[in-house]
Amino acid sequence: KETTEGLEDLRLTDLKLKHSGMTGDGGQETVKVLGRLTDGELVEAYRRCDMVVFASLYEGFGLPILEAQAMGRPVITSNFGAMREAAGDGALLVDPYSVEAIRDAVLRIKREPALREDLIAKGLRNVERFRAEAVAACYAELYRNLATADRREPEMAPRQTA
């Protein structure tokens, strides 16, 4: 299924769609394929975009979600797995298999300024969970809990003899 299939009505708006990373289809008339970006180009792409749509079917962590949120961009992402967890409450969650759901989310962010501002604020708060200090504090707490945990062997049920 082509990336642009079902997005025809977005052509009627002033939206310009861009795609970075790997792509397997054409779609050049609707989607400008940026290809792989350097770190500097990626930061500039985030700065210039109105929103980030990351409706991935698989992602190990969801770093693009956090990058976009840290740059103050509203995010649309998949409603399951790592994307849902990484996004927290700072993104519109959609069924990544539904072009209609993705399209509707894009149009909502475009047409509803209050929603857009709410997603940006929640996204900026969300990225705080992933700051080095916050992650280190979580690990320190885990290690403290492990160090003070009761280390007794669990009692085994007596064997029954026949």
Side-chain angles (χ1 to χ4, degrees):
K1 190 172 192 177
E2 286 202 19
T3 305
T4 59
E5 186 176 317
L7 299 178
E8 293 81 13
D9 59 338
L10 292 180
R11 291 183 192 164
L12 303 177
T13 71
D14 61 346
L15 293 174
K16 292 180 177 66
L17 305 177
K18 296 185 179 179
H19 177 282
S20 68
M22 299 182 302
T23 183
D25 62 28
Q28 268 57 2
E29 74 200 45
T30 304
V31 178
K32 180 177 180 184
V33 179
L34 302 176
R36 293 188 182 269
L37 303 175
T38 66
D39 289 346
E41 290 168 334
L42 184 59
V43 168
E44 185 59 26
Y46 282 130
R47 271 195 200 120
R48 296 181 70 189
C49 75
D50 291 320
M51 69 187 77
V52 171
V53 180
F54 190 69
S56 178
L57 300 177
Y58 172 81
E59 180 66 20
F61 177 70
L63 191 58
I65 295 164
L66 298 174
E67 291 170 339
Q69 289 176 333
M71 294 292 295
R73 297 300 175 256
V75 174
I76 298 167
T77 193
S78 303
N79 61 0
F80 62 85
M83 285 73 62
R84 166 181 249 147
E85 293 172 31
D89 65 351
L92 277 183
L93 302 177
V94 297
D95 175 355
Y97 293 99
S98 171
V99 172
E100 182 177 308
I102 297 166
R103 181 193 62 235
D104 291 348
V106 167
L107 292 174
R108 278 192 68 200
I109 289 175
K110 176 112 173 93
R111 294 175 179 159
E112 299 176 32
L115 171 65
R116 176 186 175 77
E117 293 306 314
D118 186 51
L119 290 172
I120 290 170
K122 287 178 177 177
L124 289 168
R125 282 193 302 273
N126 182 56
V127 296
E128 293 299 313
R129 296 187 304 142
F130 299 94
R131 291 179 50 87
E133 298 83 4
V135 173
C138 288
Y139 275 111
E141 179 67 18
L142 172 66
Y143 295 145
R144 274 192 295 280
N145 290 339
L146 290 172
T148 60
D150 185 2
R151 298 205 176 263
R152 289 182 300 164
E153 291 282 330
E155 291 187 26
M156 302 294 280
R159 276 192 184 187
Q160 299 213 344
T161 57

